Amino acid sequence: MNIGVWLVPVMAGYWFLRVCHLTRRAFLSTTGYEFFFAAATAGGLLLSVARILALGAEWIAEATGFGGFGWERFAPFEYSGTLVLTVVLGLVAAVVVNVCISDDEAAARWAEKHESRFGWILRKSLEERLLVEVSTTSGKAYIGYVRTAAEWERDVALLPFLSGYRDPTTGRLRITTNYSQLPQQWLENYAVTIAMKEVVSISRFDPKVYNQLRQARAARHRGPTA
């Protein structure tokens, strides 16, 4: 096979890595030789599987007496059937993986691996429909439900519930805005998106615990009553 033919498996590998939910984020972060090597490696694996399947098909055709109707009758060059099967495998494998694992789930796994505890908290909060509190470098704090996991490597999207700021001296959370009384449709259209580079901390948020702590602090400030 000439060099032009060898590029077919590389292109099949590129397609798989670029489209597959599990690999596309890591693949897009590579550059130069790493980019080509990753595509070539994936293409080589697809080519190996395709060749095994092609040989198996030839053996079955010979064993069943259909050898005379082989692919070579229509093939423009040697091993063209294997190359076509390589491309088909790349397409089918990506589709199968994407059907089994959603992009949100893949993003959650990526975030969990590359964003340390942030990804774990976001993933669990999305799965269990729990509130999270996100503090930013500007001191602002947003509390809401994680809306999607599709772009966790870049930002965090929240369906707003409360917002406020962190006291610059004590670090305590101060709530200034309550969105819970607004229509659900309005909230869906105005989700808060925060760039991951601006995130200082992410934590679970329980309104009951927050109110209990606030009441306890208020009681201490009032002091003992007669």
Side-chain angles (χ1 to χ4, degrees):
M1 291 189 288
N2 59 42
I3 189 171
V5 173
W6 277 113
L7 288 177
V8 173
V10 176
M11 294 302 297
Y14 168 82
W15 169 265
F16 176 81
L17 295 176
R18 177 64 179 81
V19 174
C20 179
H21 291 164
L22 285 179
T23 59
R24 71 180 186 87
R25 289 171 176 81
F27 184 56
L28 291 177
S29 65
T30 60
T31 57
Y33 290 108
E34 292 181 350
F35 186 90
F36 181 82
F37 181 75
T41 301
L45 293 174
L46 291 171
L47 179 65
S48 298
V49 174
R51 187 55 186 160
I52 293 172
L53 293 176
L55 290 174
E58 290 178 7
W59 181 84
I60 293 174
E62 292 293 338
T64 55
F66 288 96
F69 301 94
W71 168 267
E72 63 274 6
R73 172 181 300 184
F74 310 99
F77 48 79
E78 190 178 9
Y79 299 116
S80 60
T82 299
L83 293 175
V84 170
L85 187 56
T86 299
V87 175
V88 172
L89 283 176
L91 298 174
V92 172
V95 171
V96 170
V97 172
N98 290 352
V99 169
C100 297
I101 301 176
S102 68
D103 195 40
D104 281 359
E105 174 64 15
R109 294 184 183 184
W110 192 97
E112 184 175 350
K113 180 178 179 181
H114 295 276
E115 299 296 341
S116 187
R117 297 290 292 179
F118 282 4
W120 184 86
I121 294 172
L122 291 172
R123 179 181 178 182
K124 290 298 181 182
S125 299
L126 179 62
E127 291 175 352
E128 301 174 17
R129 189 64 178 172
L130 298 174
L131 288 168
V132 294
E133 184 258 316
V134 180
S135 296
T136 67
T137 54
S138 65
K140 294 182 179 179
Y142 299 92
I143 298 165
Y145 295 99
V146 180
R147 187 179 186 186
T148 178
E151 300 296 339
W152 280 353
E153 63 271 28
R154 296 190 312 178
D155 51 49
V156 181
L158 296 179
L159 197 63
F161 182 75
L162 302 167
S163 66
Y165 66 95
R166 286 281 178 180
D167 189 293
T169 303
T170 64
R172 289 176 180 171
L173 178 63
R174 308 291 185 183
I175 303 297
T176 58
T177 308
N178 187 336
Y179 302 94
S180 61
Q181 303 303 317
L182 295 175
Q184 181 75 12
Q185 184 177 4
W186 187 93
L187 296 177
E188 288 284 355
N189 293 331
Y190 292 92
V192 177
T193 302
I194 308 165
M196 188 62 75
K197 64 182 180 180
E198 298 178 1
V199 175
V200 174
S201 66
I202 299 177
S203 60
R204 296 279 184 89
F205 182 83
D206 188 329
K208 292 182 179 179
V209 174
Y210 172 77
N211 289 329
Q212 290 173 357
L213 292 174
R214 187 177 61 176
Q215 292 169 6
R217 286 196 296 266
R220 286 198 300 270
H221 290 160
R222 288 197 301 269
T225 57

